[in-house]
Amino acid sequence: MGRALYSVGFWIRETGQALDRLGCRLQGKNHFREQLSRHRTLMNVFDKAPLVDKDAFVAPSASIIGNVHLGPGSSIWYGCVLRGDANTITVGAGTNIQDNSLVHVAKSNLNGKVLPTLIGDNVTIRNSAVLLGCTLEDESYIGASATVLDGAHVEKHAIVESGALVRHNTRIPSGEVWGGNPARFLRKVTEEERAFFSTSAVDYSNLAQVHAAENTKNLEETDFNKLLYKKKARDAEYDSPLLNDDLTLSENHLPKAP
């Protein structure tokens, strides 16, 4: 029954989009020709639907699929995939998952455990990280291109360095830095790094608001802004001290009027 309803809903949506394009043509409007992707940022899987807080940012090219819960102030950046089809993905408040990262779940593993992916508050996950059925506590930090496998547990204020591989069922204690392949203890977290956890989360939360505002603009607004930026750039070039000095120098070498 669920598959039949899904199919009916799909065809209704496709028919509606076709009628919308036809209506735009008849009215002489070209909004449907905007060079914006028809990519579906949020997608249900049968009865599993994403639950995204109104204050969260999901980039247009990201994919949030199935049973994914996203908290307030969190940001999912360009090219990310969060696929919660076989289990649940929970992302807390103020967390940023940066470009091209992959978050997945595990229905079961070799030990027969059901493994959702649980990500706490104010967690920073750098570009191209891979997370599978793991737990990341509040204010933990995952470096770029790091992989955290199912059953792994990263405690609060712990760091997984860039490119590291955290193996199955590994637990990284609070306040430790782990790196390498396979990941192992390297050193303790410094006070500067500990202070950086919350700062990084706040910075990305603020930056996400800028991107969210930009992504709400239509084609006419973005084209106008492009022209405006070009004009400002030209004005700045004409007003630059170097250019003015060159003009003054050229005028000094011009022949004087008799």
Side-chain angles (χ1 to χ4, degrees), residues 158-174:
I159 295 177
V160 176
E161 286 201 334
S162 298
L165 172 63
V166 181
R167 295 192 295 186
H168 307 272
N169 303 317
T170 300
R171 191 176 190 95
I172 300 180
S174 177

Side-chain angles (χ1 to χ4, degrees), residues 26 75 91 124 135 141 145 160 208 219 235 240 250:
L26 294 176
S75 54
V91 180
T124 292
T135 297
Y141 184 95
S145 301
V160 176
L219 184 63
D235 291 345
S240 69
S250 299

Side-chain angles (χ1 to χ4, degrees), residues 31-123:
H31 299 304
F32 67 96
R33 297 185 184 276
E34 291 185 2
Q35 297 301 307
L36 301 177
S37 173
R38 293 183 62 203
H39 162 79
R40 294 171 61 189
T41 302
L42 305 179
M43 191 179 86
N44 298 356
V45 177
F46 300 122
D47 59 336
K48 299 180 179 69
L51 182 60
V52 178
D53 189 272
K54 61 182 180 62
D55 293 326
F57 167 68
V58 179
S61 59
S63 296
I64 311 295
I65 303 164
N67 201 351
V68 180
H69 296 182
L70 186 60
S74 287
S75 54
I76 310 300
W77 293 83
Y78 303 91
C80 287
V81 176
L82 279 68
R83 181 157 64 92
D85 48 3
N87 212 316
T88 303
I89 296 173
T90 302
V91 180
T95 288
N96 59 90
I97 303 178
Q98 298 177 22
D99 310 67
N100 297 319
S101 292
L102 169 65
V103 183
H104 194 28
V105 292
K107 188 172 184 179
S108 63
N109 63 358
L110 292 174
N111 297 324
K113 295 181 179 179
V114 176
L115 296 171
T117 297
L118 305 175
I119 302 173
D121 299 338
N122 300 323
V123 177

